[in-house]
């Protein structure tokens, strides 16, 4: 029997208090991490003084170039086009069949986020490849480097930040690349949020919910299987091709994403007595704080899996092509 979540007794107890403290602590720590690495003026001034590209700094060409110069950016563009079309089709089918109530589930929140990522990535790949074509195939004043097989768009004189990349271009000059603006940074953050969230949703569904927490009469339909697998497959392919870095401190955005979903569920259930989308969110169980804590800890391996995959990719491609890859 589903408990009535609109009664005060459901919330005014030690179980909710502990869970609320856990969620609040996770959000506070996440905000502090973000501020330390991205929000403070000190970290940005150090970057300008050193003129070096830190692990978490994004350049504009990072969003559309591939990780190795032998792989043309058009391949990444084509892949993102296919992935975006597939994900958007599945999302539309899900909305048609189940309506707006799909927003009740964390899985659909994540699926929408992955679709947004590929939509943004596709537009950035198209823009970058078009800019590259305008630059021509030879060496010009706008930064086409035939020796390195790279292209960098002209950097305006009034650009706020310039990053000197190691190495020289074909003119014997430092290879100057412009730091990305807020839209490009948001794109990289969405990328890292989706990787962790996809592993969490798909992993929990296939390893916990489907085998142990579903009704015996439940039959897995084709769309549900796709929603819990295609997003991960699409991301794996993109990770193999792209050159986006993966600073681990951005797990903070992933934690905030999950915390916002939990807060949304709490607010909804205060006013409407509904069945919880996932059994481990139910605060009536005496084990609720343990469930919340366990799911919180799961964020580390879920996010870390993609961090390890990117490191493996870098080492493997470096050995395969006997030269460092662009990361």
């Amino acid at each position: 029997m589903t408990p009535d979540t609109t009664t005060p007794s459901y919330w005014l107890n030690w179980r909710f208090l502990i869970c609320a403290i856990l969620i609040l602590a996770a959000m506070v720590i996440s905000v502090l991490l973000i501020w330390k690495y991205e929000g403070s003026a000190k970290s940005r001034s150090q970057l300008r003084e050193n003129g070096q590209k830190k692990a978490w700094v994004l350049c504009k060409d990072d969003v559309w170039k591939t990780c190795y110069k032998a792989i043309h950016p058009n391949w990444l563009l084509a892949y993102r086009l296919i992935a975006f079309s597939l994900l958007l089709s599945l999302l539309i089918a899900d909305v048609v069949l189940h309506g707006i109530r799909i927003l009740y589930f964390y899985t659909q929140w994540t699926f929408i986020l992955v679709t947004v990522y590929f939509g943004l990535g596709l537009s950035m790949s198209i823009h970058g490849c078009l800019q590259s074509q305008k630059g021509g195939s030879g060496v010009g004043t706008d930064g086409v480097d035939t020796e390195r097989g790279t292209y960098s768009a002209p950097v305006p004189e009034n650009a706020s930040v310039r990053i000197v990349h190691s190495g020289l271009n074909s003119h014997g000059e430092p290879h100057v690349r412009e730091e990305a603006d807020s839209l490009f940074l948001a794109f990289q953050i969405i990328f890292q949020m989706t990787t962790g969230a996809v592993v969490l949703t798909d992993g929990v569904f296939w390893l916990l919910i489907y085998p142990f927490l579903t009704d015996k009469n439940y039959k897995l339909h084709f769309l549900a299987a796709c929603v819990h697998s295609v997003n991960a497959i699409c991301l794996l392919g993109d990770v193999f091709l792209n050159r986006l870095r993966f600073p681990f401190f951005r797990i903070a955005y992933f934690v905030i994403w999950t915390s916002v979903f939990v807060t949304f569920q709490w607010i909804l259930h205060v006013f409407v007595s509904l069945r919880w989308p996932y059994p481990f969110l139910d605060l009536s169980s005496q084990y609720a704080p343990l469930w919340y804590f366990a799911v919180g800890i799961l964020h580390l391996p879920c996010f870390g899996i993609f961090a390890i995959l990117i490191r493996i990719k870098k080492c493997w491609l470096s050995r395969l092509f006997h030269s460092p890859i662009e990361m």
Side-chain angles (χ1 to χ4, degrees), residues 209 213 275-283 285 291:
I209 295 178
L213 300 180
R275 182 179 179 181
W276 289 92
Y278 308 103
F280 44 80
L281 289 179
D282 189 356
L283 293 165
S285 170
W291 275 114

Side-chain angles (χ1 to χ4, degrees), residues 9-288:
S9 60
Y10 186 87
W11 302 96
L12 301 178
N13 54 68
W14 64 271
R15 298 184 301 275
F16 173 71
L17 177 62
I18 295 176
C19 292
I21 291 173
L22 290 174
I23 295 295
L24 181 62
M27 295 185 75
V28 169
I29 293 173
S30 298
V31 170
L32 291 177
L33 272 176
I34 294 169
W35 176 254
K36 176 182 179 181
Y37 289 100
E38 295 188 304
S40 64
K42 181 180 179 181
S43 61
R44 293 186 178 275
S45 63
Q46 287 177 347
L47 175 65
R48 290 181 173 90
E49 292 172 1
N50 297 336
Q52 300 293 326
K53 183 179 179 183
K54 301 295 184 183
W56 64 89
V57 176
L58 183 73
C59 292
K60 285 189 174 181
D61 57 351
D62 287 332
V63 301
W64 60 272
K65 284 184 177 179
T66 57
C67 59
Y68 190 71
K69 63 183 180 180
I71 305 174
H72 199 280
N74 283 345
W75 285 107
L76 180 58
L77 189 157
Y79 182 84
R80 284 174 171 172
L81 174 61
I82 295 171
F84 176 67
S85 301
L86 178 60
L87 291 169
L88 184 62
S89 299
L90 290 172
L91 183 59
I92 292 173
D94 204 7
V95 172
V96 170
L97 289 176
H98 303 108
I100 198 172
R101 64 191 180 95
I102 65 170
L103 296 178
Y104 187 59
F105 298 93
Y106 185 79
T107 299
Q108 275 68 24
W109 279 41
T110 300
F111 199 89
I112 292 172
L113 191 66
V114 176
T115 306
V116 169
Y117 165 74
F118 277 101
L120 284 174
L122 175 61
S123 63
M124 291 178 179
S125 288
I126 292 173
H127 180 266
C129 290
L130 287 176
Q131 291 297 315
S132 179
Q133 291 295 327
K134 289 179 181 179
S137 59
V139 178
T141 58
D142 54 355
V144 179
D145 186 353
T146 53
E147 285 186 14
R148 293 177 59 87
T150 59
Y151 167 81
S152 78
V155 181
E157 292 183 0
N158 60 350
S160 60
V161 179
R162 290 184 178 183
I163 302 172
V164 180
H165 188 63
S166 59
L168 304 176
N169 60 20
S170 56
H171 295 286
E173 300 170 343
H175 188 61
V176 179
R177 302 168 64 199
E178 187 179 358
E179 183 182 355
D181 54 26
S182 299
L183 178 61
F184 295 86
L185 180 61
F187 174 72
Q188 186 188 30
I189 291 172
I190 291 174
F191 165 67
Q192 293 195 253
M193 288 169 58
T194 56
T195 55
V198 162
V199 175
L200 180 61
T201 54
D202 293 0
V204 169
F205 178 80
W206 292 111
L207 299 178
L208 178 63
I209 295 178
Y210 180 63
F212 302 111
L213 300 180
T214 54
D215 189 86
K216 294 181 179 179
N217 297 322
Y218 174 78
K219 293 183 179 180
L220 182 67
H221 54 84
F222 176 75
L223 185 58
C226 289
V227 168
H228 291 91
S229 57
V230 171
N231 49 9
I233 295 171
C234 289
L235 273 178
L236 282 172
D238 195 82
V239 165
F240 179 79
L241 290 172
N242 72 36
R243 61 185 289 178
L244 294 173
R245 295 193 172 201
F246 205 87
F248 202 84
F249 79 88
R250 286 211 176 108
I251 190 177
Y253 291 99
F254 172 32
V255 172
I256 290 176
W257 173 256
T258 304
S259 300
V260 168
F261 173 79
V262 173
T263 304
F264 163 76
Q265 288 293 333
W266 285 353
I267 295 173
L268 180 63
H269 282 78
V270 166
F271 297 100
V272 184
S273 184
L274 297 170
R275 182 179 179 181
W276 289 92
Y278 308 103
F280 44 80
L281 289 179
D282 189 356
L283 293 165
S284 64
S285 170
Q286 61 178 338
Y287 301 108

